[in-house]
């Protein structure tokens, strides 16, 4: 009973914060824009990050490091054949049918699965980093296997939801289910995220995760026929089937308060939108056609997804690998904070600087890779994006952390701990 009361109090406080961030109105839900939200098609995350980067002036982009790392990243992408379709190779991902079949009911299930994961994709770092009793989830090592594995970090979230769907027969990714406190009480959600026997800690911010599930589930049920497929149908209606990835990100931010990852810097609003952008990027990758010349089923318009308009996803893992690759320079004071494990408050200057600098740095890397293509007389604009670079860097950071890979052929900085910010935004 005490746990339930705590969750209820947390939810009430959290919901008041969410609703203070531009609450949803009937006009917003019924809006069918006649013009683009961003006529110049510039992602506000880029504009805001440029401003915050200069205003904070703490974490700096190393231009020489950018050029050197761009060559390495491009070469590795080629050698490893790392493409949007690599998303389908991750062992815990739920895959849509391939080739795409519009009426396949699996599509709806995959979209609901990606949506809920993106809603809860935040704050997996542990107070017990590197220790065997950190929070972990025991589940299969891949979908079609009977072998068990301990999953930590982000993958503990994915494993928890998959385990609930397959082993426990709990429809946890159905908004009509998880929005209901009757069908899906707090205690059941706590059970879904249960830790492995050797873990000495629970999943962080459980109360906030429950509040978000109730909020987004209710929005989908009240306005979009109870599924993220319904949300996408409305997106296509608003944009006459010509909507882009950036326009979908904007609609997600407009409709769901939990995706409004924004801060005020020197009186200016700065949009960072980590989870909104990664939600759209995951959908883009999951449904990416085997033949890249085919229309993307989620973005079938003549312009396609225009995925190049999205930025990297500013979290705590990618800045770490950017520093290791000498793309980012940290001042001594920040290095001391990281090495001592001192928490950084969400919205603190150092935390904003880390995120903004990471966004700008990956944009610079993308530009350098495009220059390499031009120098070779090739066109790389349709194949190089900050999204793909982020996907690759995140995977690389985890491999280096697990001792599965290391950087050769270029100078690197000693790997420093991630920054510790406990937040729903990343």
């Amino acid at each position: 009973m005490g746990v339930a009361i705590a969750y209820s109090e947390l939810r009430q406080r959290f919901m008041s914060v969410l609703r203070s961030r531009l609450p949803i109105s009937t006009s917003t839900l019924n809006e069918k824009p006649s013009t683009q939200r961003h006529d110049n098609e510039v992602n506000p995350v880029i504009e805001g990050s440029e401003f915050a980067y200069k205003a904070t002036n703490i974490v700096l982009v190393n231009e020489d490091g950018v050029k050197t790392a761009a060559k390495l990243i491009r070469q590795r992408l080629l050698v490893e054949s790392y493409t949007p379709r690599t998303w389908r190779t991750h062992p815990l991902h739920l895959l849509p049918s391939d080739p795409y079949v519009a009426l396949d009911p699996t599509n709806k299930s995959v979209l609901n699965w990606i949506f809920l994961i993106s809603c809860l994709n935040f704050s997996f770092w542990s107070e017990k980093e590197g220790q065997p009793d950190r929070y972990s989830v025991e589940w299969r090592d891949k979908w079609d296997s009977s072998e068990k594995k301990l999953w930590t970090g982000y993958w503990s979230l994915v494993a928890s939801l998959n385990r609930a769907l397959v082993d426990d027969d709990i429809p946890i990714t159905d908004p009509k289910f998880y929005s209901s406190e009757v069908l899906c009480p707090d205690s059941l959600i706590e059970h879904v995220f249960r830790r492995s026997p050797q873990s000495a800690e629970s999943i962080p911010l459980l109360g906030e995760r429950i509040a978000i599930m109730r909020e987004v589930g209710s929005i989908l049920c009240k306005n979009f026929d109870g599924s993220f497929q319904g949300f996408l149908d409305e997106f296509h209606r608003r944009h006459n089937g010509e909507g882009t990835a950036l326009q979908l990100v904007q609609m997600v931010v407009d409709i769901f308060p939990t995706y409004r990852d924004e801060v005020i810097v020197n009186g200016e609003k700065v949009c960072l939108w980590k989870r909104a952008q990664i939600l759209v990027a995951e959908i883009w990758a999951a449904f990416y056609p085997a033949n890249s010349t085919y229309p993307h089923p989620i973005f079938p318009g003549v312009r396609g997804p225009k995925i190049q308009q999205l930025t990297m996803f500013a979290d705590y893992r990618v800045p770490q690998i950017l520093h290791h690759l000498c793309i980012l320079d940290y001042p001594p004071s920040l290095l001391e904070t990281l090495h001592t494990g001192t928490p950084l408050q969400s919205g603190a200057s150092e935390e904003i600087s880390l995120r903004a600098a990471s966004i700008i740095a990956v944009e610079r890397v993308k530009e350098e890779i495009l220059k390499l293509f031009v120098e070779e007389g090739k066109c790389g604009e349709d194949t190089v994006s900050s999204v793909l670079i982020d996907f690759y860097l995140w995977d690389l950071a985890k491999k280096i952390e697990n001792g599965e890979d290391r950087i050769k052929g270029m100078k690197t900085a000693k790997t420093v701990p991630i920054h510790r910010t406990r937040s729903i935004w990343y």
Side-chain angles (χ1 to χ4, degrees):
M1 182 64 70
V3 171
I5 292 173
Y7 288 167
S8 176
E9 292 174 349
L10 271 172
R11 182 161 61 250
Q12 289 176 6
R13 292 198 298 270
F14 181 60
M15 296 293 277
S16 67
V17 171
L18 287 181
R19 289 176 180 133
S20 70
R21 292 175 178 253
L22 303 175
I24 297 168
S25 65
T26 303
S27 61
T28 301
L29 290 172
N30 294 332
E31 177 190 19
K32 185 177 181 181
S34 57
T35 58
Q36 283 184 237
R37 194 62 185 270
H38 307 292
D39 294 332
N40 60 0
E41 296 194 329
V42 174
N43 190 335
V45 174
I46 296 176
E47 295 177 318
S49 296
E50 288 277 12
F51 175 80
Y53 173 70
K54 294 174 183 176
T56 54
N57 194 35
I58 299 172
V59 179
L60 301 179
V61 177
N62 185 319
E63 297 297 344
D64 290 335
V66 166
K67 292 177 182 179
T68 302
K71 294 177 182 178
L72 173 85
I73 293 168
R74 186 209 173 216
Q75 183 63 23
R76 278 177 162 250
L77 290 173
L78 291 173
V79 170
E80 298 176 25
S81 299
Y82 197 96
T83 72
R85 298 273 296 181
T86 302
W87 190 94
R88 300 180 66 91
T89 67
H90 288 286
L92 296 191
H93 281 169
L94 182 63
L95 307 181
S97 58
D98 188 34
Y100 176 80
V101 179
L103 298 180
D104 188 337
T106 303
N107 298 333
K108 181 177 179 180
S109 298
V110 171
L111 288 169
N112 279 339
W113 183 88
I114 293 175
F115 176 70
L116 182 58
I117 285 174
S118 297
C119 288
L120 304 179
N121 185 358
F122 57 83
S123 201
F124 299 108
W125 61 267
S126 170
E127 299 285 356
K128 296 176 172 289
E129 290 287 341
Q131 300 179 36
D133 60 344
R134 67 164 296 177
Y135 174 70
S136 62
V137 170
E138 186 177 41
W139 196 60
R140 305 175 186 181
D141 62 353
K142 55 185 176 180
W143 273 96
D144 57 353
S145 171
S146 59
E147 297 295 322
K148 294 297 181 70
K149 178 177 177 176
L150 291 178
W151 297 96
T152 61
Y154 163 78
W155 294 112
S156 66
L157 167 66
V158 182
S160 293
L161 299 182
N162 291 352
R163 179 179 62 183
L165 292 170
V166 177
D167 295 357
D168 302 338
D169 199 25
I170 299 172
I172 193 61
T173 56
D174 184 347
K176 295 177 182 177
F177 179 76
Y178 64 72
S179 63
S180 169
E181 296 187 45
V182 175
L183 297 175
C184 184
D186 291 358
S187 58
L188 181 60
I189 298 176
E190 183 179 10
H191 175 72
V192 166
F193 295 116
R194 64 191 181 275
R195 63 196 183 192
S196 63
Q198 59 266 56
S199 296
E201 57 183 4
S202 300
I203 188 170
L205 302 180
L206 178 58
E208 286 83 349
R209 295 179 199 276
I210 293 173
I212 289 172
M213 292 172 73
R214 305 300 190 201
E215 171 85 357
V216 300
S218 296
I219 291 172
L220 289 177
C221 289
K222 291 177 182 177
N223 303 289
F224 302 104
D225 199 27
S227 74
F228 194 71
Q229 177 69 68
F231 182 89
L232 277 182
D233 291 343
E234 173 61 14
F235 167 72
H236 290 140
R237 183 190 71 81
R238 292 188 184 191
H239 294 280
N240 296 315
E242 296 289 336
T244 64
L246 179 57
Q247 288 171 324
L248 182 54
V249 168
Q250 182 68 66
M251 184 171 164
V252 168
V253 173
D254 287 345
I255 300 301
F256 299 102
T258 183
Y259 280 98
R260 294 174 199 156
D261 176 12
E262 299 160 358
V263 294
I264 302 297
V265 178
N266 294 349
E268 298 289 331
K269 183 173 78 170
V270 173
C271 303
L272 298 167
W273 292 356
K274 182 262 185 178
R275 288 194 290 114
Q277 290 197 103
I278 202 170
L279 163 61
V280 174
E282 297 268 6
I283 292 170
W284 167 74
F287 289 88
Y288 196 86
N291 187 330
S292 61
T293 64
Y294 291 172
H296 194 290
I298 308 299
F299 305 100
V302 294
R303 297 183 298 166
K306 299 197 76 172
I307 200 68
Q308 294 79 9
Q309 293 181 334
L310 302 193
T311 72
M312 62 82 73
F313 323 117
D315 62 357
Y316 51 80
R317 184 63 64 188
V318 176
Q320 181 189 47
I321 187 67
L322 291 174
H323 177 265
H324 181 59
L325 295 174
C326 298
I327 297 172
L328 291 181
D329 289 335
Y330 292 174
S333 59
L334 179 58
L335 287 172
E336 182 179 0
T337 296
L338 299 179
H339 283 298
T340 58
T342 304
L344 287 177
Q345 291 298 313
S346 180
S349 296
E350 294 87 351
E351 188 253 357
I352 294 172
S353 184
L354 277 161
R355 301 186 73 196
S358 297
I359 291 168
I360 300 308
V362 174
E363 289 298 303
R364 300 280 195 275
V365 170
K366 178 182 73 175
E367 292 164 5
E368 283 298 319
I369 293 177
L370 288 173
K371 286 180 183 178
L372 294 173
F373 275 102
V374 171
E375 290 171 2
E376 297 170 2
K378 301 177 182 178
C379 180
E381 186 174 356
D382 293 334
T383 58
V384 179
S385 67
S386 294
V387 167
L388 191 65
I389 294 169
D390 180 286
F391 281 168
Y392 181 76
L393 289 176
W394 193 91
D395 286 344
L396 178 61
K398 296 301 290 183
K399 288 179 181 178
I400 291 175
E401 180 186 42
N402 296 332
E404 300 169 10
D405 200 348
R406 63 189 182 92
I407 304 300
K408 301 176 183 178
M410 64 168 280
K411 177 185 175 182
T412 57
K414 183 178 179 181
T415 301
V416 298
I418 59 164
H419 69 275
R420 294 187 168 197
T421 299
R422 199 59 90 189
S423 161
I424 70 162
W425 307 119
Y426 64 97

